[in-house]
Amino acid sequence: MKDALRAARYRQRLRQGVDRLATALITAGGIGVIVAVLGIGVFLAVEVVPLFWASDVADTVNIDALWLPQTYAGLDTAQFRWQPAAVAPDETPRYSMAPLAWGTLKAALWALVIAVPLALGAAIHSAMYMPRRLRSRLKPTLELMEALPGVVIGFIAGLVLAPWVERHLAGTFALVLVMIPGLFAAGIIRGRLPRPWRDRLTLGWAGLWLMPWLMLLGIAAIELAPWLEARWFDADLRGWLATRFGLDYASRNALIVGLAMGFAVMPSIYALAEDALSGVPSSLAEGAEALGATRWQAFWRVVLPAASPGLLSAVMIGAGRAVGETMIVLMASGNTALMSLSPLEGMRSLAASIAIELPEAAPGGTHYRLLLMAALLLFVFTFLVNTLAEVVRTRLRRRYHRLGGA
């Protein structure tokens, strides 16, 4: 009996020791990650400080030169220029970081314009209308899209999508012009069908029965494109844009980057938004419907306000990834440092500049430290965005507890 008690106590102490060891390893790993992240920030800050305090570069680098337009030899007006390597012997390097920051925000903005409506729409449909069996199979598939390497998406965007859009510019315009009204038309047509047909075309399976309709709209847009270009754009859409609005179409531009980066960012936004919507206690929507509200009214008035912090968190995390994306912008943007509002022109982002120029920059030089300053800006932005998103998500979980959620 004593031997059995000793063995039981030994096993209990062994389990406690294993638990303490696992807890210590997990805690050490978490602390190590935090220290590593802070170490990266401190390293970047220490490397950037000499740009503004060291005597050998203080005369050539200042805040005005980095962020305000400057007057250069041979130019009539002050401009933003990023030209770290002098072309002629008598030229001086031009270190205006404003075009790089502008290109970063421009690429991220167009990515979010494309990704946010699609991702949030898919999350709403998945959480509110889709059957559980279909949702359990479709959601992991969409989340796996996030594992696609950015270099693969950038390769397809730069070498396949950009040339195709350039050759079929009018067809691309026709697709946008036809697809959006076509989707609304599908909803109107379904609402006017007889009851048996509406029962078969359920909203939960709309993603499947809409496929033939979308294919038909795509074929109609391609067939309609030559007529539209001849009738509205003098048979040359590219020339019409240049003469009418002064817009030069670049093969690799902000719209191509937005499409590719939006495809890369969309899975993460969808996954977080769908979790936020699914996490809202079902009793809230059921109570609203019991009081006479439709499913859409229950969603708009009850579910959406409750899940709004989680949706905001999803969009913020997507924005953080879009700002820090490198390979897609590098391969699909043309890498031209321009301060332009036009989505048809190229851009150059901070991350792409680091990837291209850092291997050739002399360590300790002005160009090298400016690239590290770009890295510090990206680090601070993504750190603040992710931290704010996590704070918002924590408040959402507390709200669910107060409302009687899990």
Side-chain angles (χ1 to χ4, degrees), residues 9-10 28 404:
R9 291 175 181 173
Y10 174 77

Side-chain angles (χ1 to χ4, degrees), residues 14 20-21 27 32 37 53 56 92 123 144 147 157 170 218 311 316 329 338 364:
L14 181 61
R20 291 173 181 172
L21 178 61
T27 304
V37 171
W53 293 97
D56 55 340
T92 58
L144 282 175
L311 300 180
M316 291 169 60
V329 182
L338 301 175

Side-chain angles (χ1 to χ4, degrees), residues 13 47 53 78 100 120 154 169 171 210 223 268 272 374 378 387 398:
R13 291 175 181 175
E47 290 292 329
W53 293 97
L100 306 184
L120 294 185
L169 187 59
L210 275 175
E223 295 295 329
S268 59
L272 295 172
L378 292 175
T387 302
R398 293 176 181 173

Side-chain angles (χ1 to χ4, degrees), residues 25-50:
L25 291 176
I26 293 173
T27 304
I31 295 175
V33 171
I34 296 174
V35 171
V37 171
L38 294 178
I40 293 173
V42 171
F43 167 76
L44 293 175
V46 169
E47 290 292 329
V48 168
V49 165

